[in-house]
Amino acid sequence: MKRLFLLMVSLCFGITMYAQNTQTDAERERENKMLEAFLPILDARRNEFVGQPAKKLFDVIRGSAFKIRNIGTESTSPWAEYKGKTYVYGLSLFNKPVQQAMKDKEVYIIRIILDVRWESSAFWDAASHAGPAWMEAIVRKCLDVKVLDVSWEHFYIPERTTSSEK
């Protein structure tokens, strides 16, 4: 009886946690409308951030409807660099994790070009040592670096078809 009770409690708890982490269509639509209102304002304020430390930009982003749920880097090409190295010179902030973006077939991206040139593998090694807080470690690393440019994009992910489906 105890086991059955514990099983039921853990099942209810698991369903509750899953439900809290899943957005409904209405919530997703509301978030998209808030982003569509915020991002043009970010564009209009672009000159406020260029030449300033990235902290100012991150403060505005964190206070907005844009929630950073994934981070990527803007990097040079190994084909264009000496000895095939790559260098990080900016960040791409995504409002959805990869799996959710693929499911929704869309994602908003804020691209920040920074006045920096970090060797890519050292950059990611340092971020990986932060464990689950790797995104926050990346943001902290960039706070004092000057912003050279900031832009945004509403990216639609195209349907993938295999050669057998064509």
Side-chain angles (χ1 to χ4, degrees):
M1 191 65 178
K2 247 189 207 180
R3 287 184 185 168
L4 181 61
F5 177 72
L6 288 173
L7 179 65
M8 292 300 291
V9 168
S10 63
L11 182 62
C12 289
F13 181 74
I15 290 171
T16 304
M17 292 307 294
Y18 176 77
Q20 288 177 353
N21 291 330
T22 306
Q23 278 187 322
T24 65
D25 289 339
E27 289 171 330
R28 200 171 5 264
E29 185 65 30
R30 188 172 38 256
E31 182 180 346
N32 283 351
K33 284 184 181 187
M34 291 189 313
L35 288 174
E36 288 167 5
F38 165 70
L39 292 170
I41 293 169
L42 182 70
D43 236 4
R45 294 179 61 187
R46 181 182 165 277
N47 290 336
E48 276 183 50
F49 307 117
V50 173
Q52 298 297 316
K55 181 185 183 325
K56 185 175 180 178
L57 176 59
F58 278 108
D59 287 345
V60 169
I61 292 170
R62 285 182 172 156
S64 74
F66 192 96
K67 302 302 175 222
I68 302 170
R69 295 192 176 108
N70 197 6
I71 295 180
T73 56
E74 297 291 321
S75 303
T76 61
S77 168
W79 304 107
E81 296 294 337
Y82 180 68
K83 292 189 178 182
K85 291 192 176 219
T86 58
Y87 297 91
V88 171
Y89 63 89
L91 299 177
S92 294
L93 311 177
F94 301 89
N95 74 315
K96 297 177 182 178
V98 175
Q99 296 85 357
Q100 187 66 43
M102 295 302 284
K103 180 181 170 198
D104 295 346
K105 306 253 185 271
E106 68 173 347
V107 66
Y108 285 92
I109 307 166
I110 296 177
R111 287 192 173 80
I112 305 169
I113 306 303
L114 300 167
D115 188 16
V116 67
R117 191 172 159 92
W118 288 309
E119 200 276 317
S120 186
S121 60
F123 177 87
W124 284 109
D125 285 346
S128 69
H129 292 304
W134 65 272
M135 287 193 290
E136 186 58 34
I138 288 173
V139 170
R140 276 195 314 268
K141 183 176 181 79
C142 298
L143 289 178
D144 295 327
V145 179
K146 286 186 181 177
V147 173
L148 296 180
D149 194 22
V150 60
S151 61
W152 67 273
E153 176 183 7
H154 187 184
F155 184 75
Y156 294 95
I157 301 167
E159 286 287 331
R160 293 186 61 177
T161 58
T162 61
S163 59
S164 63
E165 293 174 348
K166 292 181 181 178

